[in-house]
Amino acid sequence: MKSMTKPVSHALLTENGRLVAKALAYTALLLGLLSGCSSSDEPKSQFAQTDASDVSALGNVEYHTYMLANELFADVGPARQSRYAVVGFVPADTMKYSAGHQHPLMLLGHQLEQGMITEATKRGFSTQEFKLSNDIIVSDESDRVLTRDIDQLSNIERVDFYITGTMVYQESGAVVNARIINARNKNIVAAATRFFPAELFWREEQVTTRNGKLYRTEGTR
């Protein structure tokens, strides 16, 4: 009897080992599928694995725009029936663009508008191009469909949310405050803040402006 017990016990242990191995394999497969589904829901970007310390300021405004969009859209999902309009970012003190304000980031508001259109669209938000003309505008030098001429603008579709923001200029850059606003009740549904370095468009200069006056800077910022 003892001689037959050992083979039977050994067979049971072997069968149990196979069952455990199969269970582990199925568990690993299931975890792989779940992780694949979760990663596919995230917006794909060339900056997804980029370390901020490795990114130089000059020529990388899109990186800072991407990081600002990540914070802004973190808790907001695209609604199928909602339409968004991305409006220009303006200085917080004047609430309008001033061509006479010669700051290294004077064009940042325009770039943020265009960049946020890209980021919102990539994340599945239905964005409206309200500067679209009624027809193609052809001139001797170029042809275009975008315009700031009110008489040439096409009818604006219904807009449910605005994406906009303000900028506070500093010597070494600008603090950008972005927000998503409900067009009907004016409630802010999401907000984000990020610092944009002054060297995004131009190399660091020894002369800068402060309150409309020229100042010479010394050393590096």
Side-chain angles (χ1 to χ4, degrees):
M1 295 295 292
K2 292 182 179 180
S3 60
M4 295 193 58
T5 303
K6 291 183 178 181
V8 173
S9 300
H10 179 72
L12 290 175
L13 289 174
T14 302
E15 184 63 24
N16 289 337
R18 292 176 180 174
L19 293 175
V20 171
K22 289 182 178 180
L24 291 174
Y26 285 129
T27 302
L29 178 62
L30 180 61
L31 291 175
L33 291 174
L34 291 175
S35 62
C37 292
S38 61
S39 61
S40 62
D41 294 336
E42 299 176 356
K44 296 180 180 179
S45 173
Q46 57 179 326
F47 307 116
Q49 303 297 328
T50 302
D51 187 356
S53 61
D54 297 334
V55 178
S56 62
L58 184 62
N60 280 307
V61 64
E62 68 272 20
Y63 167 76
H64 294 277
T65 305
Y66 166 78
M67 297 302 295
L68 179 67
N70 273 355
E71 182 180 349
L72 183 64
F73 297 114
D75 299 320
V76 180
R80 183 174 300 178
Q81 302 299 327
S82 297
R83 298 183 179 183
Y84 295 75
V86 182
V87 188
F89 287 57
V90 295
D93 54 346
T94 61
M95 290 298 175
K96 63 180 181 180
Y97 172 74
S98 174
H101 186 206
Q102 298 299 314
H103 189 277
L105 295 178
M106 60 179 294
L107 296 178
L108 179 60
H110 295 310
Q111 176 56 38
L112 282 171
E113 177 186 354
Q114 303 304 315
M116 292 303 288
I117 290 176
T118 300
E119 293 296 338
T121 304
K122 287 166 57 177
R123 287 166 167 78
F125 292 86
S126 178
T127 55
Q128 297 292 305
E129 182 51 83
F130 57 89
K131 291 189 290 294
L132 187 67
S133 63
N134 285 310
D135 208 340
I136 300 175
I137 303 172
V138 180
S139 65
D140 294 337
E141 296 82 13
S142 63
D143 50 82
R144 55 192 171 90
V145 293
L146 299 179
T147 181
R148 291 186 180 276
D149 189 340
I150 298 179
D151 296 331
Q152 295 179 335
L153 292 176
S154 59
N155 294 329
I156 300 176
E157 297 290 340
R158 172 182 56 86
V159 174
D160 301 296
F161 295 92
Y162 297 117
I163 300 175
T164 186
T166 60
M167 301 171 295
V168 178
Y169 291 117
Q170 299 179 357
E171 178 184 350
S172 58
V175 178
V176 176
N177 300 282
R179 65 204 68 168
I180 301 176
I181 306 172
N182 189 308
R184 296 183 180 179
N185 55 28
K186 298 180 176 58
N187 289 339
I188 298 177
V189 299
T193 300
R194 183 172 179 83
F195 179 78
F196 282 65
E199 294 80 23
L200 288 173
F201 301 108
W202 309 97
R203 294 189 183 277
E204 183 178 350
E205 299 175 331
Q206 293 184 344
V207 177
T208 185
T209 60
R210 190 182 306 162
N211 295 329
K213 297 181 180 180
L214 289 176
Y215 288 87
R216 182 176 295 276
T217 59
E218 298 180 358
T220 57
R221 285 197 282 263

